[in-house]
Amino acid sequence: FAKYVAARPASGQGHYLIGEAYRREAPDGPDFGPRLDAYTRAVEADPGYAQAYKEIGMAHRQQDDAVAARAAFEKYLMLQPDALDAGIIRWYLKAL
């Protein structure tokens, strides 16, 4: 993924995939930092990369950071209002 990011620095996809690798390696933490850093770089490179906002929200939700989770989930739904998982994300928002 590092080669992909180096070749396409303006693409959020490479950073997102790095975040996914961290998430799959340790889905329940305890260290969410590398995952969040990668997802944040994804949205910095491509502010319209909706999936990264969803995963930022999920990571913050897992850490009981309702304010940050809410902001990320709302941005995700703004970008992808008809996403297949929109109902689940709206449920998460109500529960926060």
Side-chain angles (χ1 to χ4, degrees):
F1 297 130
K3 286 183 181 182
Y4 183 92
V5 169
R8 296 172 182 84
S11 170
Q13 186 175 18
H15 297 291
Y16 171 79
L17 292 173
I18 290 169
E20 284 294 280
Y22 283 119
R23 181 182 66 81
R24 290 174 189 229
E25 183 177 298
D28 297 321
D31 186 6
F32 291 87
R35 177 191 321 183
L36 283 168
D37 289 345
Y39 293 140
T40 300
R41 284 192 301 274
V43 297
E44 287 170 351
D46 181 358
Y49 204 91
Q51 280 300 117
Y53 286 106
K54 180 180 88 170
E55 294 304 334
I56 290 169
M58 295 298 285
H60 285 299
R61 181 177 168 268
Q62 285 179 280
Q63 297 175 88
D64 296 320
D65 185 347
V67 173
R70 176 174 294 283
F73 285 148
E74 288 173 348
K75 183 71 173 183
Y76 171 67
L77 290 174
M78 185 184 79
L79 294 168
Q80 293 281 316
D82 296 327
L84 293 176
D85 59 358
I88 295 167
I89 301 301
R90 287 186 185 98
W91 184 82
Y92 289 157
L93 283 168
K94 286 181 186 178
L96 290 173

